[in-house]
Amino acid sequence: SAHRDGLIGLWDLRPDAPVALRCTLKSTSQINAIAVQSLSDILSSARSRFVCPSSSMLASCLPDALLFAGENDSSLSVWSLSSTKLQSEPDVLAEGHLVRRVDSYGATCALVSAGRILISASIGRFLCFWDTRRSSFETTLTLATGSQVCSLVVLQQRVYGGMEDGTVRGWELLPDRLGARLACKVEGHPG
């Protein structure tokens, strides 16, 4: 969970354990959106054998997960969720650490993960596509949306956005390269 105070709470939600806050991460700015990307999702999206460069974000968090936090100060923070585990419960995270912090081209409104791709929507009517397997974590594609994106979800090979103008737009993710093309636009929420 995240809050405008810059705190990210990591919760134990296993069905056989009581719900409990296990760890708190502190950011320097208000958190607007979070997304978690498991390393198995990233690595399974590789068509061939993937070798993790030691300089990449993945090397800092193998074998668990990355947490992305879109912040109000136009930054995107990347947290490793593979640091110290609780000695008494080896599957439970004891803490996380900040791996990288980059400019996200405006305050982030929404984030979604699709395999190795992270998609962010920032103030300014753009989707940014980030390849989480690259050594240099920077946006590799910026796509104009025509309206402010309020929410994002990925279903199969499409990313859908709830837009400020009341429409829902769907972009088909391109299979052969990082990117997307507008596939549909429908009226969603009048007014």
Side-chain angles (χ1 to χ4, degrees):
S1 62
H3 194 264
R4 66 179 70 159
D5 62 4
L7 294 178
I8 301 169
L10 301 178
W11 298 84
D12 185 350
L13 301 176
R14 295 174 296 168
D16 60 337
V19 174
L21 180 64
R22 291 294 185 173
C23 172
T24 303
L25 307 174
K26 176 68 177 148
S27 181
T28 58
S29 180
Q30 172 180 318
I31 306 294
N32 294 337
I34 57 175
V36 175
Q37 194 172 51
S38 77
L39 272 292
S40 61
D41 288 346
I42 297 169
L43 298 177
S44 68
S45 68
R47 290 198 176 122
S48 59
R49 185 170 176 259
F50 175 70
V51 177
C52 182
S54 59
S55 62
S56 77
M57 290 184 309
L58 301 183
S60 68
C61 64
L62 288 170
D64 293 325
L66 295 171
L67 182 138
F68 299 92
E71 301 178 22
N72 207 47
D73 67 355
S74 299
S75 63
L76 181 64
S77 294
V78 185
W79 296 84
S80 168
L81 300 184
S82 339
S83 56
T84 312
K85 306 290 183 190
L86 294 176
Q87 203 166 34
S88 60
E89 299 176 79
D91 293 334
V92 178
L93 183 73
E95 61 185 63
H97 70 275
L98 185 64
V99 175
R100 198 162 292 169
R101 190 174 165 94
V102 297
D103 180 16
S104 65
Y105 309 100
T108 303
C109 304
L111 288 171
V112 69
S113 171
R116 74 176 215 225
I117 302 168
L118 178 74
I119 304 166
S120 66
S122 299
I123 303 276
R125 300 178 180 189
F126 290 99
L127 291 181
C128 293
F129 292 74
W130 310 78
D131 186 343
T132 58
R133 290 195 316 216
R134 295 184 74 176
S135 295
S136 61
F137 185 62
E138 57 191 37
T139 186
T140 53
L141 174 71
T142 303
L143 183 67
T145 61
S147 179
Q148 180 62 49
V149 179
C150 300
S151 61
L152 291 171
V153 65
V154 171
L155 298 171
Q156 298 176 351
Q157 291 301 313
R158 284 194 179 171
V159 58
Y160 293 91
M163 313 302 284
E164 188 176 59
D165 66 4
T167 63
V168 175
R169 297 178 193 194
W171 294 270
E172 185 175 344
L173 297 172
L174 301 177
D176 54 342
R177 62 186 168 90
L178 188 63
R181 66 171 185 79
L182 185 63
C184 65
K185 176 182 171 184
V186 296
E187 292 301 319
H189 300 276

